[in-house]
Amino acid sequence: MSSHRVRAALLAGALCVLATGCGGDDGDGKSSASPADNWADSVSLDVSTGDLAPGKSATLQVTTENSSRSITNVPLELSFKTVGLALPQESALKVEYRDGEKKPWKRLALSARDGSLRGTLPVNVPHGTVQRFWRVTPDFGAGAALQTLKVSGSLGGKGQKVDSTWEQPLPTATVQPGGKGGTAAPLSRSAWSEYSFRVRNLLSGPLEDAQARAELSCADKEGNDDKPCDVADGVPGYAAQYFDGDGWKPLDVSKSSGANPKDIVLLREAATLPAKGEKEYRFRLKATSPLGKHFDHAELGLWMVYPKAEKGQNGVLGYESTAIRLDAN
């Protein structure tokens, strides 16, 4: 399980939920509702999850700490909100809980409210620390490829609340650079050097409407990166090719140079990957001048971009780069 978690701020003061929701231990182990009692509770709530992946169950941990009297039948609400795209349907997120370690799993009913999916059930908050281990299974489908899932918990219903918020990107694709032993061949003037990236779709449906974008940049002798590999103004120091399945096709590297030093795109193309499928992107580079005399090293990167994020901004599905050694000859 992932160790990612966000600790809620400690709530000190009166936590009087509802007349039936405030209780105390009367000495014989029983709890009683005593709304008139003036006692101070110190309660904290912590919500955390394991690493999320579409279609796979991850642990959802809900921890309460109570340094005062026991409280019974407190409404615990969990809220799930996606950041970047529209809220998915209730069926796209399965949250399950159980009343004991050996009890059967029950599904928490979720409903869309105030821009999030929410589910509520009553819990007891005894004195001390109680850890509840539930599970959550996201499956937003191929039509909602980019998601960040924000998980919030609140305890207290109409009374004061203890909140805990946890946020994690939900991966949909992985990008893995090729090359033996994680090393890349030097960029030479005498022969083509090949570099590859393997992209894997983690969704249970096809990944469509995405975009693959390959970029090459150089770092100068002072270590400043994100610079075009130009040996003169607008004169690229390399040639590039891309394997499109039928053969090697030349890339117009002149369009990769310009006023914006980060605008060094070698390739930009639509990408469709089958469900749970993979695709390899292969590139060949050759230096047209002794780049090693001008730069320290080069970096070739592949972005997988999903273009339907909020406000017209692209959302990154995955990015990896490989460092390229430059020959000085």
Side-chain angles (χ1 to χ4, degrees):
M1 164 176 177
S2 171
S3 61
H4 301 304
R5 59 176 56 198
V6 177
R7 173 66 61 180
L10 193 65
L11 174 65
L15 177 63
C16 188
V17 183
L18 296 172
T20 59
C22 299
D25 193 337
D26 58 11
D28 60 359
K30 298 181 180 180
S31 296
S32 59
S34 303
D37 287 349
N38 184 18
W39 46 271
D41 283 318
S42 182
V43 179
S44 67
L45 173 69
D46 183 82
V47 179
S48 62
T49 77
D51 292 331
L52 298 174
K56 294 184 179 180
S57 296
T59 301
L60 174 64
Q61 181 175 331
V62 180
T63 304
T64 56
E65 292 185 7
N66 182 5
S67 61
S68 189
R69 297 184 179 185
S70 299
I71 312 170
T72 60
N73 295 320
V74 182
L76 170 65
E77 181 183 73
L78 294 180
S79 172
F80 303 87
K81 185 175 182 179
T82 55
V83 180
L85 291 182
L87 187 70
Q89 299 295 320
E90 290 89 337
S91 59
L93 190 66
K94 182 167 68 173
V95 179
E96 297 171 290
Y97 69 96
R98 53 186 179 183
D99 300 322
E101 186 176 350
K102 297 183 179 180
K103 299 292 185 178
W105 289 100
K106 301 178 183 179
R107 185 160 183 172
L108 179 66
L110 299 177
S111 60
R113 179 161 50 91
D114 298 329
S116 63
L117 297 178
R118 299 176 182 233
T120 304
L121 77 162
V123 297
N124 295 330
V125 184
H127 174 82
T129 301
V130 175
Q131 293 180 323
R132 297 174 172 88
F133 295 97
W134 298 351
R135 62 188 184 189
V136 55
T137 309
D139 192 2
F140 296 155
L146 176 69
Q147 295 286 358
T148 296
L149 191 63
K150 183 177 181 181
V151 184
S152 301
S154 64
L155 190 66
K158 295 182 179 179
Q160 289 180 290
K161 295 183 179 181
V162 180
D163 289 300
S164 181
T165 300
W166 183 88
E167 188 171 331
Q168 180 190 359
L170 178 63
T172 57
T174 60
V175 182
Q176 181 65 42
K180 296 181 180 179
T183 60
L187 187 58
S188 173
R189 297 179 64 189
S190 59
W192 290 102
S193 299
E194 183 174 337
Y195 310 95
S196 64
F197 295 88
R198 186 176 298 275
V199 180
R200 180 169 180 253
N201 176 20
L202 303 180
L203 295 173
S204 57
L207 177 59
E208 299 174 334
D209 299 324
Q211 184 185 91
R213 191 173 75 221
E215 298 179 354
L216 180 71
S217 63
C218 284
D220 61 21
K221 296 296 185 179
E222 285 72 37
N224 300 316
D225 55 6
D226 289 331
K227 293 181 177 295
C229 299
D230 292 350
V231 294
D233 187 19
V235 180
Y238 59 91
Q241 294 182 343
Y242 170 60
F243 189 79
D244 65 356
D246 296 324
W248 291 101
K249 308 297 181 183
L251 298 174
D252 185 359
V253 296
S254 64
K255 294 181 179 179
S256 301
S257 304
N260 183 0
K262 294 185 179 181
D263 187 18
I264 49 177
V265 179
L266 291 181
L267 176 73
R268 194 194 305 265
E269 71 169 18
T272 298
L273 279 75
K276 304 293 183 180
E278 295 184 351
K279 182 176 181 179
E280 186 178 36
Y281 289 86
R282 298 171 59 191
F283 300 91
R284 291 201 310 196
L285 299 173
K286 184 167 63 173
T288 58
S289 63
L291 288 178
K293 293 182 179 180
H294 303 274
F295 303 100
D296 179 69
H297 66 273
E299 187 173 276
L300 176 66
L302 181 71
W303 298 80
M304 292 300 296
V305 180
Y306 190 71
K308 292 185 177 180
E310 221 171 34
K311 298 179 181 179
Q313 293 193 359
N314 291 335
V316 178
L317 296 177
Y319 170 75
E320 286 292 341
S321 64
T322 183
I324 301 171
R325 289 177 290 131
L326 297 173
D327 280 346
N329 298 323

